[in-house]
Amino acid sequence: MTESNHAPTVDLAIIGGGAAGVLTAIHALRQARPGLQLALIEPDLPLARGVAYATGHEGHLLNVPAGKMSGFADAPDDFLDYLCQLRAYPALERDALARHYVSRRHYAAYLQLRLRQAQQGSAAQLQLVNDSVSALQPEGDGLRLVLGDGSALRAGAVSVAVGNTLRPLPARGAQALSRAQRVEAWDYPAVQAIDPGVDVCIVGSGLSMADSVVSLLANGHRGVVHVISRHALLPLPHAEGGAADFDPQPLLAMNLRQRLRGLRQHARQAQAQGLPWQAVMDRIRPLGQALWQSLSAADQRRFLRHVVRYWDVHRHRIAPSVHAQLQALRERGQLQLHRGRIDAVSADGDHVRLTGDGPRGSRLHLQVQCVVNATGVETRGQAMRNPLLQQLLASGLARPGPHGIGLDTAADGQLLDADGTPHPRIQLIGSLRIGSLWESLAIPELRVQAAQAAQWMLAQAGLP
């Protein structure tokens, strides 16, 4: 099956079976006419889990209320309807459930059910391929997909939705640590298996850190939890109160410095009106992509150098109950927050020694029994440890996105090659578009991109 003449053929192929890929498949199945052959390719089953929704831990919560998590822009209550029908939270009335931060484990099951329903109601055929894709090669009027097992598949059009890649631990000696001494934050079972009595250092202070701390606490952790990051900023909580009522459009004409000054002024005005500062961020949320794209390239670079971490903690907030757990842990001295950058780790018997640069030229020295890598999502296209992405870049079918982030795309998501020409049969969805869109990770963006990608793929394959 390695010869392309003998490779099976489908009309459309979706690479990646996380939330973005599954949503794209649902839209394609709903819109397709009879005879469509669709392949959904994913090496790690079950579908729709990806990194964000792979956890089965009840305490790992969605970062927004359930009422805002529909997978479909034209059915804003769809996820809420699912939870009500499931009776997942019988003690909560519908309105209260809409404001509740539910366990993330429900979201994958929700998307899986909607995919099954789309299959049952579609005249198209969906083939699930439990494999990875190592290469995409133009061939005739379509594309040849080389799978991880060496076989091939031909497709008329392809959407690439491979999702997030974890950043490696940025320290010399990290690879020499044992599996018990170095744990990835996204390896949820490994985090839960950490001995409750040991001291732990979590490198990174973002959302993955919060998940790790929740897991440790649920396991009765007694040891000290050190958290180290460059800015020592913990995620901030959501707050009740609704969105502020100012007009955010004038922000688009401002430069970065003016915008920051304007947002601070709006926050002060909101506070004077009895609203939390979060109301300001909620007001500008729909303009996330426009705010990024209307910045000059120089201001985008300034944002990435000086502002991004402060933006992240205000924009990517966590459930108030999770924030309360972090604060309680800090107040009793069990969670210790350090500002600095780890540059080396080494095993010393059962311990791990960490050294790095601290604030104002100081040196940081820590000794723990386990290090958790919670450095977050790798955004640099050339650093992503994905054979397909490396092949696309090496062959000239793709180029890095703006500022080296993700891969470069046209406005409609078509992949741009090394010369900036859109490929007529390859489209990207989700985190790979972050350099061009910035806001390209959350469900409100993914559900729109998925619907557009399905329409685009059907048109390219001549199956509108």
Side-chain angles (χ1 to χ4, degrees):
M1 205 158 90
T2 57
E3 294 295 327
S4 59
N5 289 339
H6 299 96
T9 299
V10 296
D11 299 298
L12 312 174
I14 301 168
I15 303 174
V22 168
L23 285 169
T24 304
I26 291 170
H27 282 288
L29 288 167
R30 289 178 174 179
Q31 300 173 39
R33 71 186 189 192
L36 175 78
Q37 296 292 321
L38 172 66
L40 180 57
I41 308 169
E42 169 57 46
D44 299 318
L45 299 179
L47 292 172
R49 287 160 54 97
V51 170
Y53 309 119
T55 174
H57 195 295
E58 186 68 25
H60 290 166
L61 306 181
L62 292 173
N63 292 321
V64 296
K68 298 181 179 181
M69 282 295 292
S70 172
F72 309 95
D74 58 354
D77 291 335
D78 192 62
F79 181 56
L80 184 59
D81 292 340
Y82 165 81
L83 291 172
C84 289
Q85 292 164 5
L86 185 67
R87 292 192 59 78
Y89 295 85
L92 296 178
E93 297 293 335
R94 182 182 176 89
D95 288 348
L97 180 57
R99 300 189 299 272
H100 192 62
Y101 297 82
V102 305
S103 174
R104 293 209 306 269
R105 65 183 180 85
H106 291 297
Y107 206 73
Y110 157 66
L111 294 181
Q112 290 163 9
L113 175 61
R114 293 296 184 254
L115 180 62
R116 291 194 297 272
Q117 293 170 335
Q119 284 183 267
Q120 293 164 1
S122 179
Q125 296 295 315
L126 174 65
Q127 173 189 359
L128 176 60
V129 180
N130 184 199
D131 207 338
S132 60
V133 176
S134 60
L136 271 179
Q137 300 165 346
E139 186 176 79
D141 59 353
L143 293 155
R144 181 172 184 263
L145 290 73
V146 180
L147 303 181
D149 66 1
S151 64
L153 182 71
R154 295 191 73 252
V158 172
S159 280
V160 181
V162 295
N164 301 319
T165 301
L166 181 66
R167 249 188 226 117
L169 191 65
R172 299 189 308 275
Q175 296 303 315
L177 299 180
S178 71
R179 291 173 63 94
Q181 293 172 322
R182 179 175 61 89
V183 173
E184 304 295 338
W186 293 353
D187 187 347
Y188 301 112
V191 175
Q192 289 179 271
I194 293 173
D195 184 337
V198 305
D199 291 343
V200 174
C201 179
I202 303 177
V203 182
S205 61
L207 302 181
S208 296
M209 176 279 302
D211 276 350
S212 297
V213 171
V214 167
S215 294
L216 294 173
L217 287 176
N219 200 32
H221 198 80
R222 304 182 303 277
V224 176
V225 179
H226 298 275
V227 174
I228 180 168
S229 69
R230 289 177 59 193
H231 297 91
L233 295 173
L234 296 179
L236 295 170
H238 286 277
E240 295 284 346
D245 61 359
F246 67 91
D247 180 8
Q249 291 292 331
L251 293 170
L252 299 176
M254 300 178 184
N255 63 32
L256 179 61
R257 186 182 297 274
Q258 292 168 337
R259 289 181 189 185
L260 295 176
R261 188 181 300 120
L263 288 173
R264 293 189 187 101
Q265 178 62 26
H266 286 307
R268 287 191 291 269
Q269 292 172 349
Q271 187 175 26
Q273 297 168 6
L275 293 172
W277 62 261
Q278 289 91 331
V280 174
M281 298 303 293
D282 291 339
R283 185 72 180 100
I284 66 172
R285 174 67 180 88
L287 291 182
Q289 294 181 357
L291 285 167
W292 173 253
Q293 293 176 324
S294 58
L295 282 176
S296 67
D299 265 350
Q300 288 180 350
R301 289 192 294 271
R302 291 186 187 98
F303 175 88
L304 294 170
R305 284 198 306 269
H306 305 298
V307 180
V308 63
R309 184 54 188 152
Y310 299 94
W311 173 266
D312 282 347
V313 298
H314 289 83
R315 160 68 185 88
H316 300 288
R317 304 190 298 275
I318 57 177
S321 61
V322 175
H323 183 263
Q325 290 183 72
L326 296 176
Q327 290 302 108
L329 204 62
R330 287 195 72 189
E331 288 170 5
R332 64 175 181 257
Q334 192 177 357
L335 189 155
Q336 299 183 12
L337 188 59
H338 307 271
R339 183 160 66 90
R341 186 200 301 258
I342 294 295
D343 55 33
V345 297
S346 60
D348 182 7
D350 293 334
H351 291 80
V352 179
R353 296 186 183 277
L354 302 95
T355 58
D357 294 323
R360 296 181 294 278
S362 64
R363 289 292 289 172
L364 183 68
H365 299 273
L366 292 174
Q367 180 173 287
V368 296
Q369 284 82 41
C370 181
V371 179
V372 177
N373 175 22
T375 51
V377 174
E378 177 59 76
T379 59
R380 297 167 297 161
Q382 292 179 316
M384 293 179 183
R385 294 167 292 174
N386 184 305
L388 172 60
L389 303 185
Q390 296 304 313
Q391 180 266 332
L392 291 173
L393 289 165
S395 67
L397 283 173
R399 67 182 186 183
H403 316 293
I405 302 174
L407 300 184
D408 207 3
T409 63
D412 63 357
Q414 282 183 264
L415 180 66
L416 297 182
D417 68 15
D419 297 322
T421 303
H423 194 287
R425 295 186 180 274
I426 305 176
Q427 189 180 57
L428 304 188
I429 308 171
S431 60
L432 292 175
R433 298 182 65 184
I434 189 172
S436 300
L437 301 177
W438 191 250
E439 290 284 357
S440 194
L441 298 175
I443 289 298
E445 285 72 40
L446 295 183
R447 65 191 179 196
V448 172
Q449 290 183 27
Q452 294 171 343
Q455 293 175 343
W456 177 86
M457 293 174 73
L458 292 167
Q460 299 310 307
L463 293 165

